[in-house]
Amino acid sequence: MVRNPLTPHQVEAGRRMGVLLREARGDRPLGEVAAAAGMSPETLRKIETGRLPTPAFGTVVALGEALSLPIQALANLWSSQAV
């Protein structure tokens, strides 16, 4: 299966999500949040920096729970326009 390239909107939404997650993490260590979400620190780092702009839905849900972010706040990033 060949994956279609991401649209500029998808890339920008992924970048905004990464910024929101990084801000929500605050001073908590990256490894601590990654463990709480059931992922590797490298995966979380990629999401926060926008290098992984379209993580799986389950990953987004787990991060929202680990950071006490409502899933709707993360979903809104995909429907909003670039800031």
Side-chain angles (χ1 to χ4, degrees):
M1 177 177 177
V2 176
R3 182 173 179 179
N4 291 329
L6 298 176
T7 66
H9 177 75
Q10 289 170 317
V11 171
E12 178 59 22
R15 187 198 64 76
R16 289 192 313 267
M17 181 172 59
V19 168
L20 176 66
L21 292 170
R22 175 62 190 99
E23 289 173 354
R25 183 165 60 85
D27 293 335
R28 289 178 64 187
L30 185 118
E32 175 186 306
V33 174
M39 67 185 64
S40 73
E42 183 58 25
T43 297
L44 178 53
R45 185 176 294 110
K46 286 178 182 178
I47 294 168
E48 285 185 352
T49 61
R51 291 186 354 226
L52 181 57
T54 58
F57 179 73
T59 300
V60 175
V61 169
L63 282 169
E65 289 175 353
L67 295 167
S68 299
L69 283 173
I71 190 69
Q72 189 61 51
L74 295 167
N76 288 342
L77 294 171
W78 291 98
S79 60
S80 65
Q81 297 301 313
V83 185

